[in-house]
Amino acid sequence: MAIKFFACGDVVCSTTKGAFIHDDLKQIIKKCDISICNFEAPIKANVRNAIPKAGPHLFQLKETVSRLNSSGFNFVSLANNHIYDFGQEALVSTINELRRCSVNYVGAGKDFNDAYKFSIIERNGIKLGIIAGCENEFGCLPENQNRGGYAWLLHHLVEDNVRLLKTQCDIVIVVAHAGVENIEVPIKEWREKYKRFCDIGADVIIGHHPHVPQGYESYNNSMIFYSLGNLYFDTAGFENKSDDSYSVILEFEKTGLKNFNVIYHK
């Protein structure tokens, strides 16, 4: 038996009222046991709650969650630099909507412990562990604070939990939101860090944040996908871009990754 795992990059749907995923791609997503994207911003909230930060404040339509779910997604990563743009209320509302639509999440939470939780899924006799983190930007929780936010990718708890998952699961996946935006080659520092995760137990690294696709490589018995780019991003800065990128379907057996397929889209 095997598990089919679909992974794609960043999603922001802030203005599009209708479906934003093509029917052909939906059928691919729905055929997988687990399908995950990076939910790059909270659902729309009170703009007066916007946190002080550099760069844009992003939000998504509330309907985005149910549209993703009806397209076949049953998992999202919330570990990204926009998920706390509108503070605690927006993050909690997002989590509540995900739960209402039966979409699991990882990588952020209402408090420190929630943010650093990992998830274990069992399908077809195979245990798969997922953990997520983001580089240190606005909304990060590098230590326990009196608020929610996202898991810091370089926090010692992330490495500790990768090791722990390796003892409890057949497959360990690290979802990483990091890197330099709009360059097609991953920088040396993140290549080394992702290999470090593989050395301590990760079977696959799923990367995003650069907004453009980057390469992938086999490292020992693991696979590293440095950036899957955007699946869908409709903010002003991206409205004239075609988001040429890719997703991956990973097929796991109990002994590890059996094979993978690349799905190109724009």
Side-chain angles (χ1 to χ4, degrees):
M1 298 295 287
I3 291 179
K4 280 192 173 182
F5 186 99
F6 177 92
C8 66
D10 303 335
V11 170
V12 168
C13 178
S14 60
T15 60
T16 305
K17 299 294 185 181
F20 57 89
I21 299 175
H22 194 278
D23 287 343
D24 289 349
L25 186 56
K26 285 182 185 178
Q27 294 309 309
I28 292 171
I29 297 168
K30 289 179 178 180
K31 288 179 181 177
C32 294
D33 300 289
I34 303 166
S35 296
I36 188 170
C37 69
N38 174 52
F39 199 78
E40 178 78 4
I43 60 175
K44 192 171 184 180
N46 192 331
V47 295
R48 291 179 296 180
N49 293 335
I51 65 170
K53 60 170 288 190
H57 291 77
L58 303 185
F59 65 84
Q60 312 208 48
L61 297 175
K62 182 179 180 180
E63 295 78 14
T64 305
V65 177
S66 59
R67 288 176 188 153
L68 284 171
N69 187 233
S70 65
S71 298
F73 286 96
N74 50 19
F75 232 101
V76 298
S77 172
L78 299 179
N80 60 70
N81 55 301
H82 287 289
I83 198 64
Y84 207 71
D85 277 5
F86 292 91
Q88 188 77 4
E89 181 181 343
L91 175 58
V92 171
S93 295
T94 302
I95 289 171
N96 289 341
E97 183 64 12
L98 289 166
R99 287 174 172 165
R100 189 187 73 82
C101 295
S102 300
V103 177
N104 297 301
Y105 69 93
V106 69
K110 292 183 274 190
D111 55 37
F112 182 87
N113 292 331
D114 193 25
Y116 283 86
K117 279 182 181 177
F118 51 75
S119 185
I120 297 177
I121 306 103
E122 188 166 2
R123 295 278 194 285
N124 303 326
I126 302 169
K127 279 190 176 181
L128 189 148
I130 305 175
I131 188 169
C134 175
E135 62 188 19
N136 191 355
E137 294 195 37
F138 301 96
C140 184
L141 287 174
E143 67 276 324
N144 199 341
Q145 302 176 40
N146 190 28
R147 64 169 176 86
Y150 67 79
W152 182 30
L153 191 57
L154 300 185
H155 197 287
H156 71 86
L157 278 176
V158 175
E159 284 203 5
D160 291 347
N161 285 333
V162 170
R163 291 189 180 93
L164 179 60
L165 283 171
K166 194 63 178 178
T167 67
Q168 298 181 357
C169 301
D170 304 301
I171 307 295
V172 178
I173 296 175
V174 175
V175 181
H177 195 75
V180 180
E181 294 186 15
N182 299 311
I183 65 169
E184 297 177 349
V185 178
I187 63 174
K188 181 175 183 288
E189 290 84 352
W190 285 112
R191 286 189 70 193
E192 291 179 348
K193 183 60 180 178
Y194 293 169
K195 289 178 180 179
R196 162 86 176 161
F197 283 135
C198 296
D199 288 338
I200 63 174
D203 296 285
V204 175
I205 309 292
I206 300 293
H208 30 66
H209 179 57
H211 295 301
V212 294
Q214 295 178 344
Y216 55 85
E217 69 173 311
S218 173
Y219 172 70
N220 292 335
N221 294 318
S222 303
M223 285 296 302
I224 304 172
F225 298 89
Y226 287 101
S227 173
L228 299 180
N230 293 340
L231 177 71
Y232 187 82
F233 228 88
D234 68 0
T235 62
F238 289 89
E239 61 185 2
N240 294 317
K241 297 180 180 179
S242 61
D243 280 336
D244 299 71
S245 200
Y246 71 100
S247 299
V248 292
I249 297 175
L250 305 156
E251 188 171 355
F252 296 107
E253 294 181 331
K254 200 171 180 68
T255 54
L257 180 64
K258 179 181 178 183
N259 55 51
F260 69 92
N261 291 308
V262 172
I263 310 296
Y264 296 100
H265 46 68
K266 64 180 179 179

